């Protein structure tokens, strides 16, 4: 570059507040660097550059001494820094995009925990006429926790990844992602709620598909009549529908296990803790020829004391009620008998040709992060523990609900005996994912209809095989819905 234009470029760079260097700066450090560089360059214009360059500037600079120019440069740069600082406060100039957890975020864990534990109160202007849907167990309550975890559970999957049907052709369950299986075993070992040694993992599209796969696998293919499927009332409302929907010749719904007296083989579905009432369940029929399926979707520390390690032939779990990721549609079965596991895999192969590998990878990452926080329990950073935070959140919700119910005589709730939780190393109270609410008023025959009249949607007792005086209410909705529910219960009883 010729000396003459180069000289004037440097001078303009030193004192021009719209210089390209400033416009590309994105931090205070860059601005300070700009200040020092511009001052240095200004000195160079007078002390280093050739005489012709200096001569061309003489007319412009004749009224200034070097000292005056340095003062002017300093004043300009200070003004630029101050302007950038105040503009930055308005526009997020000094914000930093975080791709992972920060030290400050870790230090503020307990503050975030308090936020998670608070039940948001709706404003005075909240529309109390809005319908609250607590019929389904959509676990949106957990959103806050996973937002707090930031990008630790983020999974980036390239377009060429997981294109094949097959995950591991050597595995009995050929569509099971090895990483997902690894994290399932790791989580159960950490929590201590289920035996995994000598078990085969069968992954399913939620536990619903696994229930159907289990019914298929446990039913004799050459039986003279369909296998009887039973469960003790109040039972999960979908069991009768699932058993009868396909009108299969292999099995059919036979009703309440307490009144089942038919001779011959049967399948008993045991949900423990139970959905809808939250009690721990044991087999009811308990005679020869029976096949048992233990649905342990709620056997986690936030819902019930982990009093023992479940050791059954066939147990079902789901990520839905564990972490709240219902949309991923991932469940798993721990199966002792390899022949039963093969039949379950065959059903899923015919039904959906395997299980989404992408969902498994996401679930594996979530379980990995969850277990990482679990293994920190009892240490100084245990405030991040998923089970610790969700346990206290459920405890607070149940405390508020019982206070609202006990404030009148219209409703009642079950009472649960406490138990020692080996995971939390303390005695804890069961605090189910659903409230089994009973309308005690003699004038109310159908509690579901009664609550609907107050714009509260719940699932009535008839669907669970019991009196319509009962309703099942989800405890896992967002804060705003739960808060409005408490307000309406109080208003009903006032």
């Amino acid at each position: 570059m010729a000396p003459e234009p180069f000289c004037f470029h440097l001078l303009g760079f030193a004192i021009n507040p719209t210089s390209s260097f400033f416009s590309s700066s994105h931090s205070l450090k860059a601005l300070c660097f700009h200040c020092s560089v511009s001052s240095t360059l200004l000195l160079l214009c007078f002390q280093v550059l050739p005489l012709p360059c200096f001569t061309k500037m003489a007319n412009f600079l004749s009224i200034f001494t070097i000292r005056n120019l340095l003062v002017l440069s300093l004043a300009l740069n200070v003004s630029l820094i101050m302007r950038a600082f105040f503009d930055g406060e308005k526009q997020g100039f000094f914000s930093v995009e975080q791709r992972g957890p920060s030290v400050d975020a870790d230090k503020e864990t307990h503050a975030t925990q308090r936020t998670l534990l608070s039940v948001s109160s709706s404003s005075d202007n909240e529309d109390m006429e809005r319908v609250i849907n607590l019929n389904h167990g959509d676990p949106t309550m957990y959103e806050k926790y996973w937002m707090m975890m930031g990008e630790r559970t983020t999974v980036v999957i390239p377009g060429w990844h997981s294109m094949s049907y097959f995950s591991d052709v050597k595995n009995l369950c050929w569509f099971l992602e090895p990483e997902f299986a690894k994290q399932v075993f790791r989580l159960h070992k950490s929590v201590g709620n289920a035996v995994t040694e000598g078990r085969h993992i069968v992954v399913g599209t939620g536990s619903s598909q696994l229930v159907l796969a289990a019914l298929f696998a446990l039913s004799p293919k050459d039986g003279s009549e369909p296998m009887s499927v039973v469960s003790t009332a109040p039972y999960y409302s979908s069991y009768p529908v699932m058993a009868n929907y396909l009108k299969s010749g292999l099995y059919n719904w036979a009703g309440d296990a307490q009144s089942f007296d038919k001779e011959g083989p049967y399948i008993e579905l045991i949900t423990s803790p139970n959905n809808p009432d939250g009690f721990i369940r044991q087999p009811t029929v308990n005679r020869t020829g029976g096949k048992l399926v233990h649905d342990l979707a709620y056997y986690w520390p936030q819902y019930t004391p982990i009093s023992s390690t479940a050791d059954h032939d066939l147990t079902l779990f789901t990520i839905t009620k564990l972490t709240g990721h219902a949309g991923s549609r991932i469940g798993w079965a721990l199966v002792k008998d390899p022949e039963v596991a093969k039949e379950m895999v065959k059903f899923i192969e015919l039904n959906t040709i395997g299980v989404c590998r992408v969902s498994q990878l996401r679930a594996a990452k979530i379980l990995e992060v969850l277990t990482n926080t679990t293994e920190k329990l009892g240490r100084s950073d245990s405030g991040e523990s998923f089970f610790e935070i969700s346990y206290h959140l459920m405890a607070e919700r149940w405390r508020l609900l019982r206070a609202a119910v006990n404030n009148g005589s219209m409703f009642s709730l079950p009472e649960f005996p406490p138990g020692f939780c080996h995971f939390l190393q303390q005695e804890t109270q069961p605090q189910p994912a659903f409230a089994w609410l009973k309308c005690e008023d003699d004038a109310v025959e159908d509690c579901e209809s009664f609550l609907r009249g107050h714009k509260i949607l719940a699932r009535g007792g008839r669907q669970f095989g019991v009196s319509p005086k009962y309703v099942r209410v989800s405890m896992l909705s967002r804060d705003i819905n739960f808060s409005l529910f408490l307000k309406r219960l109080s208003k009903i009883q006032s």
Side-chain angles (χ1 to χ4, degrees), residues 71-340:
V71 171
L72 175 61
S73 175
L74 179 61
L76 286 172
N77 281 290
V78 169
S79 68
L80 292 178
I81 293 172
M82 293 181 67
R83 177 179 177 181
F85 178 82
F86 289 110
D87 287 347
E89 284 190 328
K90 297 176 184 177
Q91 303 174 11
F93 187 86
F94 296 105
S95 64
V96 179
E97 182 181 358
Q98 290 185 313
R99 302 293 297 176
S102 67
V103 175
D104 290 340
D106 291 336
K107 288 181 179 179
E108 293 174 359
T109 293
H110 294 291
T112 309
Q113 194 172 353
R114 287 193 295 272
T115 302
L116 284 165
L117 293 177
S118 65
V119 178
S120 301
S121 297
S122 55
S123 65
D124 294 336
N125 296 325
E126 177 65 39
D127 182 11
M128 291 297 288
E129 294 302 309
R130 181 168 65 84
V131 175
I132 310 170
N133 191 344
L134 301 177
N135 179 32
H136 303 289
D138 201 18
T140 49
M141 176 189 77
Y142 293 113
E143 283 177 341
K144 284 186 177 180
Y145 177 84
W146 296 111
M147 289 174 68
M148 179 184 79
M149 298 304 288
E151 295 192 5
R152 275 179 265 191
T153 55
T154 297
V155 178
V156 178
I157 301 175
W160 51 264
H161 198 278
S162 301
M163 293 181 65
S164 172
Y165 289 115
F166 303 95
S167 297
D168 183 1
V169 294
K170 296 180 181 179
N171 196 310
L172 183 151
C173 185
W174 51 266
F175 45 82
L176 172 66
E177 284 291 320
E179 181 62 21
F180 177 70
K182 172 185 173 182
Q183 297 305 328
V184 165
F185 283 131
R186 182 170 169 242
L187 176 63
H188 283 301
K189 181 179 179 181
S190 178
V191 176
N193 62 339
V195 172
T196 56
E197 291 78 9
R199 270 33 174 209
H200 300 276
I201 293 182
V202 178
V203 64
T205 305
S207 60
S208 296
Q209 187 183 41
L210 291 168
V211 169
L212 294 173
L215 295 181
F216 173 83
L218 296 175
S219 300
K221 307 304 181 286
D222 56 354
S224 58
E225 60 180 350
M227 190 86 147
S228 296
V229 180
V230 299
S231 188
T232 301
Y235 40 70
Y236 176 41
S237 58
S238 291
Y239 284 160
V241 181
M242 295 168 74
N244 287 334
Y245 190 74
L246 295 178
K247 301 185 185 302
S248 171
L250 298 178
Y251 53 82
N252 63 13
W253 179 249
D256 187 355
Q258 296 179 94
S259 58
F260 179 71
D261 57 3
K262 183 180 178 180
E263 294 298 324
Y266 64 92
I267 300 173
E268 183 174 357
L269 302 175
I270 305 155
T271 306
S272 185
N274 190 41
N275 175 1
D277 62 11
F279 286 100
I280 297 296
R281 286 285 183 82
Q282 300 296 335
T284 297
V285 180
N286 199 22
R287 68 168 188 250
T288 59
K291 306 289 181 66
L292 306 180
V293 178
H294 288 81
D295 186 343
L296 305 187
Y298 305 94
Y299 194 48
W300 298 103
Q302 69 266 44
Y303 302 125
T304 192
I306 305 301
S307 57
S308 62
T309 304
D311 186 4
H312 307 300
D313 289 343
L314 200 164
T315 56
L316 307 179
F317 294 90
T318 174
I319 200 171
T320 297
K321 297 306 187 293
L322 166 59
T323 69
H325 292 84
S328 292
R329 306 307 307 130
I330 290 293
W332 66 95
L334 301 177
V335 187
K336 194 172 186 179
D337 187 340
E339 295 305 316
V340 172

